[in-house]
Amino acid sequence: MTPEEFVEKWRQTELSEIAASHEHFIDICHMLGELTPAYADPEGTNFCFEKAVTVIAPASKGSKGDSGFVDVWKRGCFAWEYKRKGKYNTLNDAYRQLYQYRDALDNPPLSVVCDISTIEIRTHFPGFPTERIILKLEEIPGRLDVLRRLFTHPDSFKPFKTRAAVTADAANEFGQLADRLIDRHTTGRHDPGAQKIAHFLMKLMFCLFAEDTELLPAQTFTRLLKRCLIAPEQFEARAEQLFTLMRTGGEFGNDIIPWFNGGLFDEQPAIALKHGDLMVLQRIAQLDWSGVEPSIFGTLFERILDPDKRAQIGAHYTSREDILLVIQPVIMQPLQRQWAALQEQFAPDLKTYADLPAAKRSKAARKLEARLDAFRENLGKLRVLDSACGSGNFLYVALQQLLELDEQVVIFARRHDLALRSLPWIKPTQMHGIELNPYAAELAQVVIWIGYLQWLKERGLDVPDQPILDKLECIENRDAILDLSDPKHPAPAKWPEADFIVGNPPFLGDKLMRAGLGHAYVESLRKSYDGLPGGIDLCAYWFDLAHGYMKHNPAARAGLLATQNIRGGANRKVLEAICRDGSIFNAHSDREWILEGANVHVSIVCFDCGSETVRVLNGANVETIHANLTAGVDVVQARHLSENDSVSFLGSCKGGPFDIDWHEARQLLADGGNPNGRPNSDVLRSVMNSEDILSRTGPRWIIDNADRDVADASHYAAPHRCVVSRVKPKRDGNRDKWLRENWWRPQRMRPEMRHAITPYERYLVTPTTSKYRIFLWLPERVLPDHQLIVFARADDCFFGLMHASVHELWARSQGTQLREVESGFRYTPTSTFETFPFPWPPGKEDVKHPAYKRISEAAKELNELRERWLNPPEWIEPLAARIDATDQFLDVPAEARPLIRQSAIMALAAKDDRLKKRTLTNLYNERPTWLKLAHEKLDRAVLAAYAATDPAGQWAESLAEVFTDTGPGQPLPPNHPLIAKRGEAEKRILENLLRLNHARAGE
């Protein structure tokens, strides 16, 4: 059969669907030279007519294929459904039916619906937008390749761009239009007029989406653009007319505009566009707006509209899969259990129903349908709240999941010959949000509605009766944690009623809150939440509000993200309260996440009032999840040990530009003539921070007036001039009275720390945050920065106990992983060191005990090996000789000469190609055999000391191997034979340590 003969035959045919379908498809096969199903696959395994869809109960008499058959099916290619020509909306009906059967048909990549006069092909490729290809009967002779590819190359229909790429293109193109309008109409993106522009752009965006999803008549907006390209001065009036009709409904030229509703299409006027703007907008309109991905579109568009996020436009975004880590356990898990229980209850009734004669089935069907609809109606009453919703990503994914559960009920009913309405009970107005950013708050509403309408269209479902959009009022633009309606009496904010609370609260650390939010706001916040510790991070307030909400709404469930700080220090208090009054039922203690385009580590915490019986931590079932997001031994119960007091301290904090480089330090040291006759070395000190000790940086010095009044400090003339010119101007404008009045002094002098280390020639330090928990010695004359934890001890045994894997295991159990992947863990003295039980209380060691000597020897060996690797004498001594040959320090006071000389050597070493690679971080990344063996020797010695001093415990030197196979505290490779053994050993050690802690605390 030729294409022309095919067209002529079927143009004149008026047969029923049943009569026409097989012959029409066979004619297509003959026209294309393809084998028909009977010839290609006689057994009908992979290619057949009337493909039966798996059903649980038999269909009723007369239901034919509508309930359980597809007209044509070819595995891996297509499912094909016919409808009678000319029947109203038949193709949408056919597509809706095919979509519901896709799972039972092995998810063919293409759905084809046909009413003889028209063939529609819709694509289904994961991660790609659904596209529709339409073939009219008369077009077939010129488009045979399209039909042929259905049979031979279905993958050729895969869209060119993924949903993510389409979405990124749409957002980026809109960015250009946003730039043009903001540059022309405002003084910048923080100008109040920028919000009006953002609102206008959202209207344009929704018009484009509505046009491409046929909510607006075809080409309505595109035709408007084309006309205004010729007459740009008409755009404002025509756009305003269209927006008004979308608010109310009505005629727009020859088109009937549906009633969309107010809210988005409010009475704010359109903005005039110039010819260049319209050219950009026309290019935007050519994109396929039906294929945007709502779960990321909001993020990308928000970055365009929000000036503070403009630089993140090309950065990564949080994926749908990540968001499901919250939505699934909090919202869907209990609902899916309810649905499974309902299906189990239905089983006997369905069997009875299937056996009824046709005459008695109608009444029974109505009862069964009513029970199913009651479940769906309940889904339609649930409320989800994201109280930091941003542009609505979490709410959109929650909406999508609820819609899919509703769809499962409809498919279940169809498979049992029951009829439920296909339109879901779920509505976008069930999604509630609170968002302070006005751009994001409005955008969230639009994104949620776009996602909902897109979901309906992809399934061939009709949009809701007019108005198409309900009032967009479910997202509130306000502060989510603080009510400042009465500035004199700030109070915690109140949240709307909700069954589920989810979201990603803002990550802002305690020390950054004042700079980011303002002093007055933070003071109001602390005052309003007087039951919480003062030093908590911003996100902790969301946890506290959710916890308080559950006290009055015990059926509610919550799932929130936080920085890793939430499980340690002061922040952990909110989780301790949650565990005391309820339970954490699902958590990820350490999860990679995308935050503002950066890959960070977060904790995910899902909690309720204790009704959930299943506990899952990091994907594994556990009995209990503790407040530090661990299972097993609850080290949160560890008590403060007074015996560990007065040993650990925070390093000093400058609070101003007191730093000088070593060259300037050398000049100031040589500068004499002070009125008090004292050298400048009295107020100049070498300083080190965590970066200095972990990598190889250039040396730094500080002007240190910590313990001097201004008169005394001024007697050191040259250093004082530096402070007056560099520090005082910054301090003069500081809101802190003490800093203004004591402008010549470092901010936190740490007199207790300075006094504690003075008696020693060296003291121990560890970084507050680091990838590896490393301890090392610093000379007393070097000042430790606030990024270091200082320990006022100088003996090798203490070094060994601190650097042993037993202490690191305790530290990691009590500490928290940081946002940045490479930053590792935070060491908090209060929860880590001050609770750690040593074999002997600090200062009361038995120095004659063999275990003490063994630890000391192993520790000294580790330190010497490490120092020898870091600074090989054969490489360092030539550098020192170069420095000494210059005699450049002869004018420096003798007591300061060794340190400034060392600074000069360090400066040369930092530039040496061999030495600059020799850093502690690189060493522990590489973890050579000699280092592993040295740590294993130390671990065995420490375990032996615990065994000797704690006869009641279960300690064994052999446990050391589970720590040192890859290094102390480091994860073993997947499937490593020691994984199970390590887990048991760590549990035993933590149990021993916790028991010792309680015993030492007098419990």
Side-chain angles (χ1 to χ4, degrees), residues 714-727:
S714 67
H715 289 162
Y716 300 90
H720 190 66
R721 284 196 298 271
C722 293
V723 175
V724 170
S725 64
R726 301 174 191 177
V727 181

Side-chain angles (χ1 to χ4, degrees), residues 49 65 101 104 301 318 548 556 622 669 691 730 806 822 897 946:
F49 288 115
Y101 289 159
F301 204 78
T318 302
V622 296
L669 285 169
E691 183 181 5
K730 294 185 178 296
V806 171
E822 291 299 313
R897 208 171 292 163
Y946 276 105

Side-chain angles (χ1 to χ4, degrees), residues 283-404:
R283 190 168 66 245
I284 294 171
Q286 292 171 357
L287 299 172
D288 179 10
W289 280 82
S290 67
V292 298
E293 173 52 51
S295 67
I296 62 174
F297 180 76
T299 297
L300 297 179
F301 204 78
E302 181 188 357
R303 291 171 183 172
I304 288 168
L305 299 178
D306 186 349
D308 296 327
K309 298 184 177 181
R310 191 74 164 109
Q312 303 167 22
I313 288 177
H316 292 289
Y317 40 79
T318 302
S319 69
R320 176 180 177 275
E321 290 69 25
D322 284 337
I323 295 172
L324 284 173
L325 294 174
V326 176
I327 302 301
Q328 183 60 34
V330 173
I331 301 176
M332 301 313 300
Q333 180 176 298
L335 297 179
Q336 287 164 341
R337 281 201 299 254
Q338 291 175 26
W339 172 227
L342 181 59
Q343 291 178 81
E344 187 174 350
Q345 295 170 14
F346 252 65
D349 296 334
L350 286 172
K351 186 177 186 307
T352 300
Y353 170 69
D355 294 336
L356 287 174
K360 295 184 177 182
R361 301 187 93 198
S362 178
K363 184 177 180 181
R366 287 197 298 272
K367 290 182 179 180
L368 293 173
E369 290 162 359
R371 289 169 63 188
L372 291 174
D373 262 336
F375 177 77
R376 297 178 71 202
E377 186 176 5
N378 181 63
L379 294 180
K381 295 177 180 178
L382 297 173
R383 287 162 298 187
V384 179
L385 170 66
D386 183 346
S387 52
C389 69
S391 52
N393 294 358
F394 275 72
L395 292 175
Y396 164 71
V397 174
L399 174 67
Q400 184 188 54
Q401 291 293 297
L402 290 171
L403 286 168
E404 290 179 0

Side-chain angles (χ1 to χ4, degrees), residues 522-542:
V522 174
E523 287 300 313
S524 297
L525 193 62
R526 305 290 196 216
K527 181 179 178 181
S528 301
Y529 292 81
D530 56 0
L532 294 180
I536 61 174
D537 293 349
L538 185 62
C539 65
Y541 292 96
W542 270 261

Side-chain angles (χ1 to χ4, degrees), residues 877-934:
E877 289 174 1
L879 300 181
R882 285 171 55 188
I883 296 296
D884 294 339
T886 62
D887 293 332
Q888 59 181 304
F889 303 124
L890 294 179
D891 54 349
V892 173
E895 69 273 12
R897 208 171 292 163
L899 275 179
I900 197 68
R901 173 182 180 273
Q902 185 62 30
S903 292
I905 296 171
M906 289 171 56
L908 285 179
K911 298 177 181 179
D912 187 281
D913 289 339
R914 298 171 301 175
L915 286 168
K916 65 184 179 183
K917 298 177 183 178
R918 296 258 175 144
T919 67
L920 282 171
T921 297
N922 287 344
L923 174 62
Y924 278 84
N925 278 336
E926 179 184 348
R927 209 170 293 273
T929 301
W930 64 263
L931 181 65
K932 291 165 60 178
L933 292 176

